[in-house]
């Protein structure tokens, strides 16, 4: 952590070797280390949610668009970055970034306009419930035009770019890195922090169940059928965090920053397959039973993992007790505390069962970034590691 | 112009035309309503819709685009099936041959890019439905149908990924399908699998678990190619088509595209 910080400072130090461009590149590379990249994009999202009335103004949004395009375009001059971008299977990522960006702007722009109008007591953009038009011709023709444009777009795309095709399958030649299809790269990233059954089965399952459950949990009757942010800030913020950061940003991370041996690389760094793998990771139990006593160095607390049962509690439970307390607090005590404080209004609105489901989904969503940050900062592996029971969290 | 019109009228007044369309030229309110009501496909629409609901900036036309892309995939997919054999010996060569020798060899390009576009379009459709709060009552159920469609669309794209049988294909599918190994109880490396045994003989092992079921083997091989082909070309598209019909029907029955109450 400190070393990378020094690395960032060094990268802007003019005394260092290399041209200005190189220094900018290594600065961006350093910023793309995940412990900056993910928190920074999250910060950007928070700023975007708070200042949605400002940045969605057409001129401001255009500025953002131009700035990003200049940055993205200039990046393509870099050989290593261009190598990733031009891989045919990565073409959709560029599309995803632009289309998602545009649609997010379009939605939040209308939310900003609507919220302003509501404040002034004016009718919404969508108002006029009785204004009906006939489907033939109004809608049918819109659909026809959309169909034609969509087809034209596909045909042009297909003419300009060849679809990906690599050498024939060879079961003995394992590519390094081996990546899942791009839309699953966010899920593949989870494998770094969680055991396969959690990353590959439980979390995707919770995403699906959580999405289906959403309309039954969100009992806020307002904001039905029109764009708004002011009337449902919590739900929109949580959803956008999940969609933008935990899905899209992780896909970008998996595409641009994950190289050979699943090591992390800056976007302008050459993928060196010989770079040593990551450090050894430690568990909460190691921190509590070994690192802490060593640091404190007191007579009554000797470092060492408990290896014998005490008070009839098996050794592994004693060993994992600190992690169990932490996780138990997170999953079971925190929601009670929140229900009495910050979420008081929500709790009374949706009741016990809905609140329990809400917390189940929310807690699992947020344990992902929590574990990521702890891994990056302290090389933490598991809160609780009971391998016998497959309970490694 | 006059000639064209009278030729047009000749056809529109003929017995053949009348037997197909059952209504006159959609020029006034009544015939326009009839145009929608008497056509099984158009009938998925209501006769009249809220003006604000069909504004492009409201729906972004994303649901419609997802549907068009699904249609484009179906059409190009059927054509691809004429040339492609899901056998390890031929699969790759068929794909190469398709590009090199077949007139309109563009088909595979359209099919591949269209699949990616559909994945993006369906997310954005979900985003717009979310941002407009259109999942709220009475549309909760249709949102759920949508989530299942989203999952199936991803699986459709995932199963198609294997078919070219190139390096990209088998390793992406290997990475993806390794997850199935860890399914609780059903995967041989998953939690609880060890509990399922009879007299010390495990029921769940590498040759009987969820991954084996998916791949028809212990590695991504000929069995997997055939299974993914069948899932990709028959099973998932049929389920998706049925669910899309349900989805559209419910959009209509739930009161059309949402709007402020
Ligand atoms: C194959 C996939 C899908 C197709 C073809 C499809 C198509 C459509 C179409 C054409 C509409 C009419 C309004 C519009 O275009 O926005 C619609 C509405 C709707 N869709 Fe989808 N959709 C799909 C997937 C989804 C998904 C993934 C979700 C949500 C998770 C979803 C939820 C809804 C809801 C709730 C409505 C009603 C919205 C309203 O009344 O404003 N759909 N869908």
């Amino acid at each position: 952590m400190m070393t990378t910080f020094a690395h960032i400072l060094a990268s802007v130090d003019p005394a260092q070797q290399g041209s200005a461009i190189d220094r900018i590149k290594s600065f961006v590379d350093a910023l793309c280390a995940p412990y900056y990249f993910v928190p920074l994009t999250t910060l950007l999202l928070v700023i975007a949610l708070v200042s949605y009335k400002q940045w969605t103004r057409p001129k401001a949004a255009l500025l953002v668009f131009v700035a990003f395009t200049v940055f993205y375009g200039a990046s393509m001059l870099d050989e290593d970055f261009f190598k990733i971008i031009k891989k045919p299977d990565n073409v959709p990522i560029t599309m995803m970034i632009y289309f998602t960006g545009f649609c997010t702007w379009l939605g939040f722009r209308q939310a900003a306009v609507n919220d302003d109008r509501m404040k002034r007591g004016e009718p919404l953009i969508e108002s006029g419930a009785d204004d009906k038009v006939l489907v033939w011709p109004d809608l049918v023709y819109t659909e026809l035009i959309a169909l034609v444009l969509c087809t034209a777009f596909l045909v042009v795309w297909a003419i300009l770019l060849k679809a990906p095709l690599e050498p024939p399958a060879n079961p003995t030649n394992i590519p390094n890195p081996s990546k899942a299809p791009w839309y699953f790269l966010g899920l593949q990233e989870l494998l770094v922090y969680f055991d396969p059954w959690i990353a590959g089965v439980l979390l995707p399952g919770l995403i699906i169940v959580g999405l289906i459950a959403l309309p039954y949990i969100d009992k806020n009757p307002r904001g039905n059928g029109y764009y708004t942010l002011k009337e449902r800030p919590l739900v929109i913020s949580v959803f956008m965090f999940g969609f933008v950061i935990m899905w899209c940003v992780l896909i970008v991370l998996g595409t641009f920053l994950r190289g050979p041996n699943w090591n992390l690389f800056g976007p302008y760094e050459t993928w060196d397959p010989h770079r040593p793998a990551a450090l050894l990771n430690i568990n909460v139990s190691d921190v509590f039973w070994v690192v802490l006593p060593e640091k404190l160095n007191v007579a009554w607390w000797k470092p060492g993992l408990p290896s014998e049962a005490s008070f009839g509690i098996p050794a592994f439970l004693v060993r994992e007790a600190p992690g169990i307390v932490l996780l138990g607090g997170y999953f079971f005590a925190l929601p009670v505390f929140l229900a009495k404080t910050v979420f008081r209004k929500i709790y009374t609105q949706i009741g016990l069962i809905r609140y329990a489901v809400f917390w189940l989904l929310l807690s699992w969503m947020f344990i992902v970034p929590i574990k990521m940050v702890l891994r990056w900062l302290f090389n933490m592996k598991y809160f609780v590691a009971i391998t016998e029971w497959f309970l490694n969290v | 112009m006059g000639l064209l019109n009278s030729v047009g009228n000749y056809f529109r007044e003929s017995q053949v035309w009348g037997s197909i369309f059952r209504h006159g030229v959609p020029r006034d309110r009544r015939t326009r309503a009839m145009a929608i009501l008497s056509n099984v496909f158009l009938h998925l629409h209501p006769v009249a819709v809220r003006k604000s609901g069909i504004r492009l900036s409201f729906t972004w036309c994303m649901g419609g685009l997802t549907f068009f892309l699904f249609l484009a995939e179906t059409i190009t997919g059927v054509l691809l099936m004429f040339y492609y054999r899901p056998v390890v010996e031929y699969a790759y060569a068929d794909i190469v041959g398709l590009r090199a020798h077949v007139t309109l060899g563009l088909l595979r390009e359209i099919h591949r890019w269209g699949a990616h576009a559909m994945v993006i379009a369906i997310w954005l459709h979900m985003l717009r439905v979310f941002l407009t709060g259109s999942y709220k009552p009475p549309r909760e159920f249709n949102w759920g149908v949508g989530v299942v469609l989203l999952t199936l669309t991803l699986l459709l794209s995932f199963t198609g990924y294997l078919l070219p049988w190139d390096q990209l294909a088998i390793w992406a599918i290997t990475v993806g399908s390794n997850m199935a190994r860890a399914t609780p109880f059903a995967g041989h490396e998953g939690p609880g699998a060890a509990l399922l045994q009879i007299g010390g003989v495990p029921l769940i092992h590498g040759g009987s678990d969820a991954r084996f079921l998916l791949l028809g083997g212990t590695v991504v091989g000929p069995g997997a190619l055939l299974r993914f082909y069948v899932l990709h070309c028959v099973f998932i598209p049929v389920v998706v088509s049925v669910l899309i019909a349900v989805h559209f029907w419910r959009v209509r029955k739930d009161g059309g595209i949402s709007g402020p109450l």
Side-chain angles (χ1 to χ4, degrees), chain A residues 286-305:
Chain A
D286 299 316
V287 175
F288 186 83
W289 296 109
V290 182
V291 180
L292 262 187
E294 269 173 2
K295 283 253 160 75
L296 291 177
N297 198 12
V298 286
W300 49 269
W301 197 5
K302 294 271 171 290
L305 288 174

Side-chain angles (χ1 to χ4, degrees), chain A residues 87-89 91-93 95-96 99-100 103-104 106-108 110 124-140 142-144 146-148 150 153-155 157-159 161-175 178-184 188 191 196-201 207-216 218-228 232 235-237 239-240 243 247-248 251 389-390, chain B residues 26 28-29 32-33 35-36 42 45-52 54-62 65 68-69 71-73 92 95-96 99 106 108-110 112-114 116-117 119-120 123-124 126-141 143-144 147-148 150-151 154-159 161 164-173 175-176 178-180 182-184 188-194 220 255 257-261:
Chain A
K87 225 183 132 223
D89 211 49
V91 171
I93 308 260
M95 300 233 325
M96 175 192 84
F99 279 99
T100 308
C103 286
T104 310
L106 195 57
F108 280 88
Q110 295 178 76
L124 302 168
I125 308 175
E126 293 88 353
S127 287
D130 303 327
D131 302 353
K132 291 238 175 173
V133 290
L134 283 173
V135 164
W136 188 293
D138 286 48
L139 181 56
V140 177
T142 313
E143 285 172 352
L144 184 71
L147 179 98
V148 171
C150 176
F153 178 78
L154 265 188
V155 171
W157 189 5
I159 291 174
L161 288 175
K162 287 264 157 272
L165 189 65
E166 291 192 356
N170 178 354
T172 55
N173 181 6
I174 308 176
S178 274
K179 293 192 180 183
W182 64 272
Y183 38 81
F184 285 150
Q188 195 178 1
L191 274 173
W197 80 269
I198 295 183
V201 184
I207 297 176
I208 297 172
V209 171
L211 282 173
I212 294 181
L214 170 66
Y216 304 98
D218 176 13
K219 294 300 282 178
N220 177 359
R222 284 179 303 170
N224 183 346
Y226 52 93
Y227 289 97
T228 174
R232 32 199 290 257
V235 177
I236 292 188
S237 308
F239 185 91
M240 291 307 280
F243 177 67
W247 192 258
C248 295
I251 288 176
W389 296 353
F390 285 95
Chain B
D28 53 25
R29 238 192 118 77
R32 282 176 171 177
I36 300 297
L42 294 178
H45 296 104
V47 167
V49 283
R50 308 162 37 81
K51 208 167 170 177
S52 77
I54 60 168
R55 268 182 325 121
L56 218 49
S57 54
F58 186 73
T59 61
W60 313 341
C61 200
M62 273 305 161
L65 285 178
F68 296 155
L69 287 166
L71 287 184
E73 292 299 285
Y92 187 77
I95 296 285
V96 175
R99 179 180 282 173
L106 214 54
R108 175 171 175 255
E109 267 65 34
I110 298 184
R112 181 78 173 217
W113 297 132
H116 290 312
V119 168
I120 297 174
W123 291 351
L124 295 178
M126 180 177 78
L127 182 67
R128 103 82 187 140
V129 171
F130 173 80
L131 285 180
T132 54
S134 305
Y135 58 84
K136 298 188 177 204
R139 296 183 181 81
E140 310 99 304
F141 177 76
W143 167 268
V147 176
V148 178
L150 172 70
T151 315
L154 290 177
L155 287 180
L156 206 48
S157 191
F158 182 68
T159 48
Y161 224 84
W165 205 248
D166 59 346
Q167 279 289 74
L168 193 65
I170 66 161
W171 295 108
I173 301 305
V175 170
N178 273 345
M179 296 300 100
T183 317
H188 77 282
E189 286 174 7
V220 178
I257 294 172
S258 62
L261 303 170

Side-chain angles (χ1 to χ4, degrees), chain B residues 159-217:
Chain B
T159 48
Y161 224 84
L162 183 65
L163 304 184
W165 205 248
D166 59 346
Q167 279 289 74
L168 193 65
I170 66 161
W171 295 108
I173 301 305
T174 303
V175 170
S177 62
N178 273 345
M179 296 300 100
R181 262 211 281 255
T183 317
F185 297 105
H188 77 282
E189 286 174 7
L195 300 176
L196 301 177
Q197 50 166 314
I198 299 176
V201 182
L203 288 177
I204 304 293
H205 51 81
S208 74
D209 67 347
R211 184 166 184 272
F212 190 89
L213 178 73
L214 184 68
L215 297 183

Side-chain angles (χ1 to χ4, degrees), chain A residues 109-374:
Chain A
R109 174 70 200 148
Q110 295 178 76
V113 172
N114 268 344
D115 288 347
D116 263 347
R117 289 193 185 182
M118 271 185 277
K119 200 161 79 195
R120 293 197 302 265
E122 292 168 11
L124 302 168
I125 308 175
E126 293 88 353
S127 287
D130 303 327
D131 302 353
K132 291 238 175 173
V133 290
L134 283 173
V135 164
W136 188 293
D138 286 48
L139 181 56
V140 177
Y141 276 79
T142 313
E143 285 172 352
L144 184 71
I145 294 166
L147 179 98
V148 171
L149 288 180
C150 176
T151 313
F153 178 78
L154 265 188
V155 171
V156 171
W157 189 5
I159 291 174
L160 291 182
L161 288 175
K162 287 264 157 272
L165 189 65
E166 291 192 356
N170 178 354
T172 55
N173 181 6
I174 308 176
N176 185 11
S178 274
K179 293 192 180 183
W182 64 272
Y183 38 81
F184 285 150
L185 282 180
L187 295 179
Q188 195 178 1
E189 182 66 19
L190 300 183
L191 274 173
V192 178
Y193 315 94
F194 294 92
D195 283 6
W197 80 269
I198 295 183
V201 184
L202 182 72
L203 289 172
L206 281 176
I207 297 176
I208 297 172
V209 171
L211 282 173
I212 294 181
L214 170 66
Y216 304 98
I217 299 173
D218 176 13
K219 294 300 282 178
N220 177 359
R222 284 179 303 170
N224 183 346
Y226 52 93
Y227 289 97
T228 174
L229 177 58
K230 205 175 62 187
E231 296 199 324
R232 32 199 290 257
L234 177 74
V235 177
I236 292 188
S237 308
V238 172
F239 185 91
M240 291 307 280
F241 177 76
F243 177 67
V244 176
I245 307 294
M246 288 291 110
W247 192 258
C248 295
V249 165
L250 288 192
I251 288 176
V252 170
L253 193 151
T255 308
F256 293 109
L257 309 180
R258 286 288 181 191
N261 308 329
W262 217 244
N263 273 331
L264 286 159
F265 291 84
Y268 312 124
E269 262 181 293
T270 310
W271 283 6
D272 171 12
H274 303 298
R275 204 160 83 176
L279 302 153
L280 219 59
N281 293 319
I282 57 169
N283 294 339
V284 166
S285 55
D286 299 316
V287 175
F288 186 83
W289 296 109
V290 182
V291 180
L292 262 187
E294 269 173 2
K295 283 253 160 75
L296 291 177
N297 198 12
V298 286
W300 49 269
W301 197 5
K302 294 271 171 290
L305 288 174
S307 54
E308 277 162 35
S310 45
F311 306 112
I313 305 171
F316 65 89
L317 280 188
V318 180
R319 183 189 72 213
E320 300 303 335
I324 294 177
V325 169
L326 280 180
L327 274 192
Y330 176 70
F331 280 115
F332 301 106
L334 188 59
V336 178
F337 172 74
L338 289 177
K340 301 210 153 141
T341 51
V342 198
F343 287 160
R344 186 187 204 116
K345 243 174 70 189
I346 296 172
Y347 181 73
T348 42
Q349 189 186 24
I350 67 179
L352 179 65
I353 294 178
R354 287 194 172 91
Y355 184 76
V357 179
F358 167 67
W359 183 254
L360 174 81
L361 300 168
L362 201 70
S363 58
W364 275 100
M365 175 157 133
F366 279 102
I367 196 134
V368 175
I370 290 174
K371 275 204 75 174
M372 286 176 155
V373 170
L374 289 176

